[in-house]
Amino acid sequence: MSDHRHNAIAYAAIILERADGAVLFMERKDTGFADGLLALPGGLVDPGELLIEACARETREEIATYVATADLRTAYVSQVLGDTGAPVIGWYFHTAAWTGDPTNAEPDQCARLAWLDPTDLPPDVEPTDATAVTAWHTKAHPTAWA
C-alpha cells in the first residue's frame, strides 16, 4: 500500500465580481501552467493555511486588493487529475466586496488584467476557471469531479 497523504494539490481562486457583474481575470505568462490564457486570480495553498486564507492572500499578492475572509463565499469546487496523476482540488470563492483598485501586482507572471462578462467568456479562458465561473453564474451544481 502506498502513502497517498501528500499527493493532493490544493489551490484557491477568487471570482471577484464588479458592480456591473463583470469578473476579473489575469492573462498568465511565464508560469509553466496555462500561459497565454485568462485565469482567475488564485494560487496554491501554503502549508498551515486554510483555503479561504490562501484565497485572500493570493488576491493581495496578485492584484493588490484586500478581501476579508468573512466576505468570501464558496462558489465552486473542482477536482481533476494533474499531469503527475495527483488530484488537484480547486476551491473557488466569490465576493463583490473588496478594498483597493485591482492592479497587476505580478507583471512577471501576468500580462494584463481583464474584466469579462461571465455570460460571454472568450475561448482563451482557462477551461477549469471557465467552468467554475459558468457554474457560479448560472447557479449550477457547485462541484465537478473529472
Side-chain angles (χ1 to χ4, degrees):
M1 177 184 214
S2 61
D3 184 357
H4 296 288
R5 291 177 290 179
H6 303 288
N7 288 354
I9 299 167
Y11 73 91
I14 189 163
I15 299 171
L16 195 71
E17 181 185 14
R18 202 166 56 183
D20 65 0
V23 173
L24 185 67
F25 284 82
M26 307 171 66
E27 182 181 335
R28 298 178 61 90
K29 75 171 188 178
D30 299 330
T31 67
F33 174 75
D35 291 331
L37 296 181
L38 293 162
L40 296 168
L44 298 178
V45 178
D46 288 342
E49 186 175 49
L50 297 174
L51 285 155
I52 200 165
E53 294 167 339
C55 183
R57 175 185 52 77
E58 288 286 346
T59 303
R60 282 190 310 276
E61 291 175 359
E62 293 186 353
I63 59 171
T65 302
Y66 174 79
V67 295
T69 56
D71 290 330
L72 295 171
R73 300 291 177 263
T74 298
Y76 189 73
V77 179
S78 71
Q79 179 180 328
V80 298
L81 293 177
D83 295 342
T84 66
V88 179
I89 301 158
W91 206 281
Y92 292 83
F93 294 94
H94 166 262
T95 191
W98 68 84
T99 303
D101 185 24
T103 59
N104 183 359
E106 294 184 333
D108 57 321
Q109 297 179 356
C110 174
R112 66 185 173 99
L113 301 181
W115 289 97
L116 302 178
D117 178 346
T119 66
D120 189 26
L121 296 176
D124 61 342
V125 171
E126 192 280 325
T128 307
D129 287 358
T131 298
V133 169
T134 299
W136 156 76
H137 190 264
T138 62
K139 300 180 180 15
H141 198 274
T143 57
W145 314 114

